[in-house]
Amino acid sequence: MKKLSLILVFSLVLLVNTQFVQATGENTPEIKSESAVMIDAKTGDILYQKNSSEQMYPASITKIVTGILAIESGKLDDTVVVSSDAVRAEGTRVYLMEDEQVPLKKLVQGLLINSGNDAAVAIAEYMAGDVDSFADQMNAFAKKVGADNTHFVNPNGLFDEKHYTTAEDMAKITQYAMQNEEFREIVSTKELPWIGEGWETTLRNHHQLLWDYPGTIGVKNGYVDESKHTLVTAVSRDNLDVIIVTMKAPTSRAAYWDTMALGDYGFANFERQTLSAGTKIEALNGKTYPLKEDLTVTLPKGEEPIQEVSSDGELQLKDASGNKLLTHTLFKEKEKEKEASVTFDNDSAEKDATFMQSVVKTGIFLYSGLLLLLAFLVILRMRSQRQKHKKMRHVARSYVK
């Protein structure tokens, strides 16, 4: 009987714990990729992360950088002459021929749709003269977008110990690239006829979720032995745009399943919230300042952003865990300068008053001194006159005798 009672109690505890976990919304997906991140493509807010700042080898998702640099060069209509080094590139190719003349845009399409390593080298050589110089441009670009834990040595992602990035950095890079309409159009292309000197075919985009996961826009997959399977995906659905990066997945299937699981989790649990322009925010000085622009953050559904205003007028929006989502200046420097100017004017007035008091005191002192000097001179003159008169009387007496 005691054993039965213990079993019933233990079962009841398990049931309660299970219900508690479900009630608290512990539905974060378990993924097989060693590193991953999901961000809102508009706000940059992190919706999920797993080892997102850990250094990883990117493989062909490197080509996102190569592609956006070529597109932003403004030279897509230029003709590129393919070199022998480009033709000999290892791995996936679009089978370029030496001395073949190819428009730069076509090379970018072969790069991003079919993951052509030969196209990557041809782009790098045309853009910078050689691969090493182009890698310098890639690293400068990474710094520009805030990918500070990234270093590239080639344009295609073939393995090199010095060629690395993080899931978080790749999300930042992709967030930037996806703002370019030409880039978005190319990575969302499912199929493209390809007619070259060495290959005639229809390119099929290597990103399988363009067919299998509703709302997918692109972007790029990758694989080398050292990196395992890497995948960057942009998805737009239910008024939410997300970028999902998974790195070092054991299989291609795992990378895709992880991405879909994270996407489902994001769309089910998060929403954008906007503080509209004109909303009045009270600062620490007791004054209220209206927002001059919309402020948008992404939070779990039903959660309100926490507002904190610093002593220098900076508004911070945070989530329930205290993570900073956004910083905004409530009042501009001109207003600070105006307040400082008022203080300065008051100080100046006080200084001027003090100065005038000093001038008046000095004037009174000098005037008093002058009066004393005049009095002294008058006394001397009067004494001199008395002595003169006395002498004259003495002379007069001598003539009388």
Side-chain angles (χ1 to χ4, degrees), residues 55-306:
Q55 194 176 106
M56 296 282 172
Y57 299 123
S60 282
I61 60 176
T62 299
K63 291 165 183 167
I64 293 172
V65 179
T66 304
I68 189 60
L69 284 176
I71 290 169
E72 288 192 335
S73 73
K75 301 177 181 179
L76 290 182
D77 293 331
D78 288 8
T79 298
V80 178
V81 179
V82 179
S83 71
S84 58
D85 287 341
V87 171
R88 290 196 297 269
E90 300 177 5
T92 308
R93 293 178 289 164
V94 286
Y95 301 100
L96 300 173
M97 303 292 288
E98 185 174 353
D99 295 327
E100 182 179 357
Q101 298 184 20
V102 185
L104 181 60
K105 180 176 180 178
K106 185 175 180 179
L107 290 175
V108 175
Q109 291 170 325
L111 171 87
L112 294 174
I113 298 173
N114 198 69
S115 201
N117 290 335
D118 47 358
V121 175
I123 291 170
E125 292 177 337
Y126 182 74
M127 291 280 295
D130 57 68
V131 166
D132 290 341
S133 298
F134 185 71
D136 291 338
Q137 293 184 13
M138 297 172 73
N139 291 322
F141 167 81
K143 295 297 182 186
K144 182 181 77 171
V145 300
D148 296 326
N149 298 311
T150 291
H151 185 263
F152 298 117
V153 299
N154 62 59
N156 45 35
L158 292 176
F159 174 72
D160 188 295
E161 286 187 353
K162 296 180 180 179
H163 189 96
Y164 56 82
T165 188
T166 67
E168 186 175 355
D169 279 2
M170 284 308 305
K172 293 177 181 178
I173 288 169
T174 306
Q175 180 186 21
Y176 176 92
M178 290 298 290
Q179 295 175 25
N180 186 289
E181 289 299 323
E182 189 79 47
F183 182 91
R184 289 173 66 93
E185 180 182 347
I186 292 174
V187 298
S188 65
T189 301
K190 291 184 176 180
E191 294 183 341
L192 180 74
W194 181 273
I195 301 176
E197 290 184 9
W199 199 33
E200 291 189 15
T201 188
T202 296
L203 301 182
R204 178 184 169 89
N205 199 309
H206 288 193
H207 202 306
Q208 188 60 38
L209 295 189
L210 283 168
W211 287 268
D212 295 341
Y213 194 60
T216 299
I217 305 170
V219 186
K220 192 74 189 73
N221 66 327
Y223 175 84
V224 293
D225 289 341
E226 293 81 1
S227 72
K228 301 306 178 185
H229 295 270
T230 60
L231 186 65
V232 178
T233 309
V235 189
S236 181
R237 195 196 306 170
D238 301 333
N239 297 316
L240 188 62
D241 309 289
V242 298
I243 292 169
I244 303 168
V245 181
T246 58
M247 304 191 75
K248 207 167 186 179
T251 65
S252 175
R253 180 183 292 273
Y256 285 125
W257 276 107
D258 285 351
T259 297
M260 289 187 288
L262 290 174
D264 289 346
Y265 168 71
F267 294 122
N269 291 280
F270 292 89
E271 64 182 357
R272 288 192 187 128
Q273 296 189 29
T274 300
L275 290 177
S276 302
T279 301
K280 293 183 178 180
I281 306 294
E282 184 175 353
L284 292 179
N285 58 13
K287 298 180 180 179
T288 57
Y289 295 86
L291 296 177
K292 296 182 179 179
E293 61 184 52
D294 291 347
L295 301 182
T296 301
V297 294
T298 311
L299 290 165
K301 291 181 177 179
E303 182 178 311
E304 296 290 335
I306 298 172

